[in-house]
Amino acid sequence: MKKVIVLISLGILGFYLIDIFLGIGFGVQHFTAGVKDLYLSNSKDTLKVSNVVTAIVVNFRGFDTLGEVTVLFLASTALGGILYKKRHHVGERSVLFPASRVVMSGAKLLFPSIVLLGAYVFIHGHLSPGGGFQGGTIIATGFLLMLLTYRNYSVSHNRLVYFESLAGILFVSIGLVGYFSKGSFLENVLPVGNMNELFSGGVIGIIYIAVGFKVAAELTGIIYTVLHEKD
Amino acid sequence: MVGSPVLFVAIPLLAAFIIPLTGMMWKNSVRVIPGLVLAFMFFLSISLMGYVNEHGTIVEVLAGWKPPIGINLVFSPFTGFLTTLMTFLGFIVWLYSYKFKRNVDFEPSMKYFMLLMLLVTGSVGIVLTGDIFNMFVFIEIVSISGYGLTSFYTRRDSAEAAFKFLFMGAIASTFLLIAIMIIYSQLGTLNIADIAEKMPMMDHKLKVLSLVFFILAIGVEAEIFPLNGWAPDVYTEAPGPIGAAFAGIVVKAAIYASVRLVYTMYDFSGAFDLFIIIGLITFIMAETTALRQDRLKRMLAYSSIGQMGLVMIAFGIGTKEGVYAALFLMFNHAIIKSLLFFSGSYLVFNKKNKYIKHVNGMGKYLPITSVLFTIGAFAIIGLPPFAGFWSKLAILTAAADNKMVVLIAVILIISILEAVYYLRVVNRIYFYDKKEKTEPKKPSLNALVAMISLGVIVLVIGFYPDLISGILDRAAADLLDKGNYIKDVLTLNK
Amino acid sequence: MDIIILILIVFFAGAVLTAFSEKISTLVQDILFLGTLIVPAILFFTGVEMNTDTIISFNKVPLNLGMTPLSYYFALIVMGLAVLTGVYTVGQMKGKKRKGYFYLNYILSIGAMFGILMSKDLVSFFIFWEIMTWASYLIVIYNGKNVQKIGIKYFVMSAIGAYAMLMAIVLTHSLTGSFLISDLISGFGSWDHGMQILIPVLLLVGFGVKAAIMPLHIWAPDAYSNSPMSYTAIFSGALSKMGVYGMVIVFLALLTKVPEGALIRDIVAWMAAITAAISTLYAIKQDDAKRLLAFSSIGQLGYIVIGVAIGTPMAMLAGLFLAFMHGVFKSTLFMVVGAVEKQTGTTDFTEITGLIRKMPWTFLAALISIIALAGIPPLGGFVGKWMLYESLIQSDHFMLVTLVFFSSTAAFLYCYKILFGFFLGQEEKEWSHVKEAPALMVVPMIILSIISVVLGTFPQLIMKPINAAMTFYGMPDTYGVLWKESMLFNKWGSDIALTPIMYGIMAIFIVVAIFLFFRNRSRTRYVTTKDISTSGEIPKEHENLTFTRGFFQPFLRAVEPVMRKQIDKYMLSFAQGIEDLFEFTRRIYNGNGQSYAIYAMIFLIILLVLGKNLFG
Amino acid sequence: MSILEILGGILLVIGSIFLFLGSLGIYRMPDVFNRLQAGTKASTLGAMATILGVGLLAPGWILKIIIIILFIGYSNPISSHALARAMHKRKAFMYFKGEEIDAYKEIEEKDNTEK
Amino acid sequence: MEKYLNILNIAIYGSAVLLMLIGLYGALTKKSLIKIVLGLSILDSGVHLLMIAIGYLKDGTAPIFSPGNEDKMNIMVDPIPQALVLTAIVIGFGVTAVALSLVIRLYRHHNTLRIDEIKKLKW
Amino acid sequence: MNYIIYFSLTVMILALILSAIRFYKGPSAGDRTLALDTMTTIGVSGIVLLSYMYNRYIYLDVALVYGVLGFIGVIVIARYLEKAL
Amino acid sequence: MKSDYFKKLSFGTKMSRFFMNWIFLMMVWLGFTNSFAPQELLVGVFLTALISFLGIRLFTCCDLSLLHPVRLFNILKFIVVFLIALIKSNLDVARRVLSPSLPINPGIVKFKTKLTKNFAKMVLANSITLTPGTLTIDIVDDTFYIHWIDTLTTNPEEAFKEIAEQFEEILLKIF
Ligand code: NA
Ligand code: NA
């Protein structure tokens, strides 16, 4: 019964969605006076940022990104609260299931490179399809690898907090510097440099670095909390 | 101008990021800083309200990009009113929960206050932002804070409540994204004013369908029937003050969003009727269900949903009087329902299931709390001379001016049910004997101050509604003047 | 500062002070309480002038206050009773718990009644009306017995009434753009027809609840008997008159302007008459003095409403006159019961007997009030009832007059029951310790009794304000005219002739009463109830054989079919049915998060499918 | 056509063929361990060759290409090994032509008794 | 009618919508909390795909002015949906993480993952 | 040269299909993971090839990151299959 | 692992590891950026130094001694041997996969290694995995367990000779 209702509803919904989006069409642009071209040209000419998505994410719509960072921060905070237990102790399970020595050694060598890759990705966020979130995620997966292979490897909670907080503070502070010096929150205050050089795009790179650190710390925190949940 | 709207978001976020650091050095800071920030936000909104009254709407540009390129914040009489209300309530909720039960544990209390602060920030963000996708982000901030706060008590069934909330919230946000993308695909912009201006260009069918998706998405947070299944659970299981925060802050923000859609972005008149229908069904369902509750907070929750239905009805009337009534109802509901949640929490404090019967005889043990609860109950059922009466009169007058006789009759009939279940509780407080052996918990000083200040507001507004009627008038006029909103944003009246 | 506002401030500030002074001392509290009642009364009688306008304009909806002749008349009742009952209250409440709570609500309800009467616009009217309602509600549940049932019943009925009124008020506002009562009256004639019916009907529902007209009366017996008697005196004597006050305005000022007015008048009059008849029967049946008086009050209010509803000058006069009289004698009777309760701890006729010598002053007050109530000349009740009969006959309501006469006659039965149940009969050892009630309680009763007597003799004392009130709302000036034209007075020639006759009857009555009193006293033989044997059976210890039990059984058996159908049972089962329905519908919230999500999908589908229709 | 381009083209062809062979092995082999054997070797070499081919075609990218190649050469055997170990611990189906030859069993039995 | 015949249209939007519907179906009918959460994230992915598809421009290239691509502005796909989807993904991830942690809590509390057995809060 | 690239891409797609069949058939979780891993490897090669085809150097980053995430994904699954999570 | 972590490292060892790591990461960085632009190098130097410093205890396999010319030569030699084996192995796979009869005789064999360093064992294991017909299942202490697609022998010594000897020789010289 329930399934029938759901199927019928989803059928109707599917019909409407298909109808809507086929009407919109793939690969066509309906609007003429949208903001797209403004973003492309401003990104190229004003901000000197090669990756327009990054320009949007960090500058044009940087406020969204601040919110997004906050969402992640909240998620890790909420998650910690949800899974909070009074006593923490190191579990015995991990001893029973040590990872293979090959994986352990492999991970050990690979880990710094993964971190470096993450850093590379967020440092080059304005030049390549990367960015703070992607880079942060990569670093966090590096930690995931370590936490999985060395079950009694622990990430310093305080250090995570430092990174997370400082990165967040950096982000908001850059925004506030823009507000106090140029009158608009998150407004660029640094020289924009030349297109396609590492030092270009003004504060965008710095913000994305902050975002990268923050995301990395938060995701690592989340992973750590969840993995140690059973202990 | 003292300050700027962006500080409503920047300062709390800065604080949220700083708190974990300061918490390592000074544990109490995790409670103090959010309070200071909430107080700051309240004073900021008051000072901006003063500015707005003299100079008109403030449009704050972000990252130096003027609309429609950049995101902007709009602090107008309407949004300013809501901001002031929310930040005030946020501060009161903070004050009430300052000496929280779990404050012995550093980590949970840090999370509690941080999430509370961000809940308020997110709600304020929803109200202030002039960008539809940015609104989505803030809605998610509010939602996730809400999930975290709901599941705060690990021993209760709070995770169940939070999961239901999350389930609905996740579906809602999906459809919100679809709606936003439909609009973007047609108009190429995300700025609300820009959308409003270009809306006539949009294909009618897509217009209708996108609005439908919006209604579903925002309806979940606005607790409209039948999307509100999660709400009573959340109110029941979340810490008491959080119930107040939901009723007084989050739902307000969601209602704001739906109102902004219908009044500003879209140009259907039929949407107003839909408001009335949805509001009426929500109102009836919630109040009738509330009548049959045996748990106090659950009863308050349904009552709160019902009140929100009433607000929707008032907005659906669509005239200036209707909007005035709706805003007045929102104000009253925020203050009064918080008072009820606050005092109600203490009346059933040490009880596991928080049944209504646990309030029996509390009038003797917790006299002040009981009186405050009674004032709240009388006010919410609209008895003069308490504040609730004026809003009820306003909505009825607005409905009468539009010859909605049946609507008036239904509202009044349902109001009788509301009176019944509140009085049942009041009767129990004063005229039943306390059977439970557990000692009632005396409210701490900070909680008492919070409750009393709400009670005083209820009484003062009851005797002197003019204190806010001017503000409400300006806010109503502001909301109705769509052209002015578009002009303010797109031509940057700064 | 305007005197009306001053009075209101005294009331409301005094109420709060009285409530809080509980912590200081009882004496201070009592003094404050009385002061809060007496000061406004003095201010009112000395300072309030007719037809002045006061506007409390700090509100978005300015509150207009002022006095009309009609409200002056009702204010006389309220303020007078408030002071007298207040004195009585201090006596009765001595040593009781939660005095602050009681005093607070007592004063608030008095202040609210004053506010109602002084309101010139519907909003302030409604505000004071509601304050009166909840204050009285809080007193109804004061003693904590059956709170959920009695209290909620009272409140729900009040709310039905109040909300009907509120609906009328907002509709009025939408039609006239103003809340002023005068605008309502002046604009009423030009409204569309539906509204001309709807609004008076809604208002009548609102007022009918407080006036306890069937089927809106179901709250009254419980509420009257459940409150402390000192408040029931107000409840029945003054508060119920607020409904009458409103009805007077509706019938006088509104319904005269629509053709269907006559029909509504007849319907209301009939409902009131049935109310009077049936509640009289119920009164007879009661073994508890409080409940008896409660039903009696409902019945008496029925007479008043008949008069007001019929609305001919004579009938209106009768109604308003009876309203005053009822306020006087019914308050006295409730005070009597309160005094008996205070001294004996019970109000059950079957338990108390022979208090006549223990509480002679109380007895005297009861006697006089009962004479007034029963409509025996020469006291005020007689005049009123006579006018009512006459007005009904004049306006060709013969069936009505029969019904009223029947219930009026039947009222003798319960009057006798009060008198006999408490005061006459043999004295019981159980009550040998009983003493007369304290002076604080006795004095108000006596004063009210004196008023009863005086008004029986000099009804014109209040005829003048009544006439002023009626002419204010457009009735012809009939002061003295009706009086002289009435059958009663025509028979004897003039009212001058009447007075000696009345005195004569009264003198004879008193002489006989005194004679009987002393004769009984010398002949009284003291036996206990246990001495009575019935048909050779020896009664067991627990059997109560007082003959006040089962009084009037044959009569009650005769009218039983009428009494079996109890409206309040139907209403209660209706309410229960509604609650059961809600119990069912709330299962929509079945606790499964998935179901909620499915609801959301269905909701979405409905909107998608109907979207085009919904948004046009 | 430069020598680099020719070499690159050849590497592309060889590499993609080995990728295909690896997949074919995964498709054909009878149990998970043999599939791993086939998949690891062929797809690793195939990927390395293809990518190197691209590196030769676009010499300006060579440093990054090398990194990708090294990464694949380093990570693929590790992941295959990890998977093989896990599957053995889960007692996945193991194909034997004749009698069972499984020296690793002793370790798992020891693990089980320890628990 | 033409819109229904365009293969690319149907392939892209069809698969995105199908993904959404599958996710919704799972979320609405599966009993296991884990599967419900999985359904929700599939739903999310479907929406993200939709978003990306909307921004696509026929024969478009990535909106990155990397060396050699500085003049391709008019064939660049719309960067805004990409930016939005980035945000949406991160938010979706956050929600999923919280959802899973709630599932863990629920399992701890009720010792079951069946959603129809976890309904203490009702009516 | 284009023909070689198209040839390579075609062969890769065939390889992907074979792996996909294995992914579909299973039978064990290990088989599916293995198939996925192989598909990742093929995918990395494919992206590198495409980035040459479109002459967009920046896509190499995508390939690299894709490879890293695929690898870690396999390790996670393997650890899960060992019941070590 | 744990013991290694808590072992007191001398300053020299630390520095040696740090620099080794730095050099290694710097090379990786060059790979990532694919560029010798001064800005990139500058950032890279700082970044890799930071990461090397933070991971000084944990994430280092070797120290500077790895850069000894002899070792470097052996590394080169190893790579050559390995690549040859890899190609051989692929041809082997191709043969097996393509032949319709699927000529395999799988089994798991074990042998012991003389390598002591975990990292060396890992390199050996990887090499084995990538060479003809073998797949490392596990290493327990110094015993390797190998899945062999065509089990020639179950004798540990013989198996060692077949599978691992050529790599181990060189690896012993490197580590
Ligand atoms: Na592999
Ligand atoms: Na791989």
Side-chain angles (χ1 to χ4, degrees), chain C residues 319-600:
Chain C
L320 290 174
F321 183 77
L322 274 175
F324 197 102
M325 281 314 298
H326 179 251
V328 174
F329 61 71
K330 194 48 69 58
S331 308
T332 319
L333 281 175
F334 277 113
M335 289 179 181
V336 166
V337 173
V340 170
E341 186 184 26
K342 171 108 181 161
Q343 302 307 104
T344 66
T346 176
T347 54
D348 194 333
F349 294 132
T350 62
E351 288 184 25
I352 309 172
T353 55
L355 293 181
I356 185 166
R357 268 185 296 191
K358 311 286 179 197
M359 304 174 74
W361 291 105
T362 310
F363 169 72
L364 187 62
L367 181 68
I368 291 173
S369 304
I370 279 173
I371 293 170
L373 186 154
I376 300 168
L379 297 190
F382 169 71
V383 180
K385 271 194 189 162
W386 187 270
M387 286 192 290
L388 185 63
Y389 296 146
E390 214 176 307
S391 67
L392 288 176
I393 293 167
Q394 278 172 6
S395 57
D396 297 341
H397 289 93
F398 296 109
M399 292 290 285
L400 262 183
V401 87
T402 318
L403 196 57
V404 174
F405 192 75
F406 162 75
S407 39
S408 184
T409 318
F412 281 114
L413 298 179
Y414 69 69
C415 291
Y416 179 68
K417 202 169 176 175
I418 304 172
L419 215 52
F420 201 96
F422 279 164
F423 298 103
L424 304 182
Q426 55 191 343
E427 292 181 8
E428 279 276 356
K429 286 233 172 60
E430 199 181 344
W431 310 117
S432 56
H433 65 279
V434 172
K435 293 193 187 82
E436 178 58 279
L440 276 176
M441 296 168 80
V442 171
V443 170
M445 290 193 276
I446 296 301
I447 293 176
L448 282 170
S449 304
I450 292 169
I451 295 175
S452 268
V453 173
V454 171
L455 281 182
T457 318
F458 305 106
Q460 61 271 37
L461 280 179
I462 56 168
M463 293 294 180
K464 200 166 187 175
I466 292 176
N467 189 55
M470 283 161 60
T471 50
F472 178 77
Y473 283 106
M475 280 215 157
D477 186 350
T478 54
Y479 179 65
V481 180
L482 294 171
W483 198 235
K484 290 207 174 81
E485 283 175 355
S486 92
M487 283 201 297
L488 177 68
F489 301 103
N490 283 342
K491 220 169 192 171
W492 279 290
S494 71
D495 61 330
I496 300 160
L498 181 70
T499 314
I501 294 171
M502 285 197 165
Y503 276 115
I505 296 173
M506 195 167 72
I508 294 166
F509 189 88
I510 291 172
V511 169
V512 171
I514 293 171
F515 174 72
L516 285 173
F517 182 75
F518 283 103
R519 203 185 66 146
N520 273 349
R521 189 174 189 173
S522 54
R523 284 202 194 163
T524 309
R525 188 169 57 90
Y526 291 94
V527 290
T528 71
T529 47
K530 312 293 183 294
D531 281 353
I532 301 168
S533 44
T534 49
S535 310
E537 284 177 42
I538 299 161
K540 290 179 183 103
E541 193 66 22
H542 64 270
E543 280 181 56
N544 188 333
L545 293 171
T546 320
F547 50 92
T548 33
R549 184 185 198 79
F551 237 62
F552 309 128
Q553 277 305 332
F555 176 81
L556 287 171
R557 268 198 293 279
V559 296
E560 202 198 351
V562 186
M563 298 170 66
R564 209 181 292 140
K565 299 201 156 72
Q566 290 189 30
I567 296 169
D568 64 333
K569 288 219 174 97
Y570 292 132
M571 286 199 170
L572 277 181
S573 63
F574 175 71
Q576 191 58 49
I578 287 182
E579 289 220 14
D580 291 345
L581 174 71
F582 299 155
E583 180 66 30
F584 178 75
T585 54
R586 78 181 173 120
R587 275 158 212 271
I588 289 172
Y589 297 97
N590 69 359
N592 187 336
Q594 227 162 21
S595 305
Y596 299 159
I598 292 175
Y599 300 159

Side-chain angles (χ1 to χ4, degrees), chain A:
Chain A
M1 184 57 197
K2 198 164 106 180
K3 282 190 181 168
V4 174
I5 295 176
V6 170
L7 278 174
I8 293 172
S9 309
L10 291 185
I12 300 173
L13 174 65
F15 168 75
Y16 272 97
L17 284 176
I18 284 285
D19 193 43
I20 293 170
F21 285 101
L22 290 191
I24 290 173
F26 182 67
V28 235
Q29 185 181 310
H30 287 263
F31 49 85
T32 44
V35 285
K36 174 193 164 188
D37 292 339
L38 297 175
Y39 281 177
L40 288 173
S41 56
N42 273 317
S43 174
K44 187 180 174 199
D45 304 332
T46 317
L47 291 175
K48 306 279 185 203
V49 168
S50 164
N51 184 348
V52 185
V53 177
T54 296
I56 295 173
V57 166
V58 184
N59 193 263
F60 297 113
R61 304 187 61 84
F63 202 55
D64 272 353
T65 305
L66 184 58
E68 188 184 348
V69 169
T70 313
V71 165
L72 262 192
F73 176 71
L74 272 171
S76 81
T77 309
L79 193 118
I82 289 169
L83 296 179
Y84 177 77
K85 277 190 214 150
K86 280 207 169 172
R87 284 173 299 124
H88 283 289
H89 56 89
V90 180
E92 297 81 31
R93 284 179 57 89
S94 48
V95 183
L96 282 177
F97 293 99
S100 149
R101 204 162 296 219
V102 177
V103 179
M104 285 162 93
S105 307
K108 191 175 158 186
L109 181 69
L110 208 50
F111 179 77
S113 305
I114 293 178
V115 173
L116 187 65
L117 176 63
Y120 163 77
V121 167
F122 63 65
I123 287 172
H124 289 75
H126 54 302
L127 304 175
S128 72
F133 294 98
Q134 297 91 321
T137 314
I138 291 168
I139 293 178
T141 52
F143 277 99
L144 172 64
L145 180 67
M146 289 308 287
L147 287 165
L148 275 179
T149 44
Y150 302 90
R151 284 309 305 270
N152 45 16
Y153 167 63
S154 70
V155 183
S156 159
H157 177 75
N158 283 2
R159 198 173 292 177
L160 283 182
V161 170
Y162 284 134
F163 271 112
E164 197 173 336
S165 294
L166 288 174
I169 292 166
L170 181 63
F171 193 159
V172 184
S173 305
I174 291 172
L176 286 175
V177 168
Y179 171 69
F180 286 114
S181 66
K182 294 237 176 161
S184 183
F185 189 71
L186 283 173
E187 191 163 356
N188 183 26
V189 289
L190 294 177
V192 288
N194 297 319
M195 193 87 158
N196 278 320
E197 278 179 14
L198 185 57
F199 298 142
S200 65
V203 296
I204 287 178
I206 302 175
I207 290 179
Y208 239 9
I209 290 170
V211 171
F213 273 111
K214 194 153 173 54
V215 170
E218 266 149 14
L219 293 189
T220 307
I222 289 176
I223 290 166
Y224 186 73
T225 317
V226 173
L227 281 180
H228 285 252
E229 201 281 332
K230 280 178 186 160
D231 300 345

Side-chain angles (χ1 to χ4, degrees), chain B residues 164 204 228 289 292 324 381 383-384 389 397 400-401 412 420 423-424 427 430-432 463-466, chain C residues 58-60 98 126 130 134 137 141-142 147-148 155-156 163 167 170 173-174 579 583 586 589 591 616:
Chain B
K164 286 177 197 167
H204 184 259
N228 55 16
T289 310
R292 298 296 306 160
Y324 173 86
I381 55 187
L383 291 182
F389 168 70
T397 315
D401 288 347
L412 288 174
V420 169
L423 286 177
R424 279 179 183 163
N427 288 348
Y430 287 105
F431 299 101
Y432 277 51
F463 283 111
Y464 191 24
D466 274 11
Chain C
F58 61 73
N59 283 314
K60 187 179 160 70
R98 299 195 204 216
F126 184 80
E130 285 288 84
W134 59 254
Y137 163 78
I141 60 175
Y142 162 79
V147 171
Q148 292 304 50
F155 200 92
V156 167
Y163 288 158
M167 186 163 171
V170 293
H173 180 262
S174 75
E579 289 220 14
E583 180 66 30
R586 78 181 173 120
Y589 297 97

Side-chain angles (χ1 to χ4, degrees), chain D residues 36 39-41 43-44 72 75-80, chain F residues 34 37-38 41, chain G residues 130:
Chain D
L36 278 167
T40 315
K41 295 174 210 345
S43 64
T44 307
I72 285 180
S75 71
N76 264 5
I78 295 179
S79 60
S80 298
Chain F
L34 163 63
D37 186 25
T38 311
T41 309
Chain G
L130 286 177

Side-chain angles (χ1 to χ4, degrees), chain G residues 37 102 116 119 127 130 153 160 164:
Chain G
L102 214 60
T116 48
F119 189 75
S127 312
L130 286 177
T153 171
F160 173 72

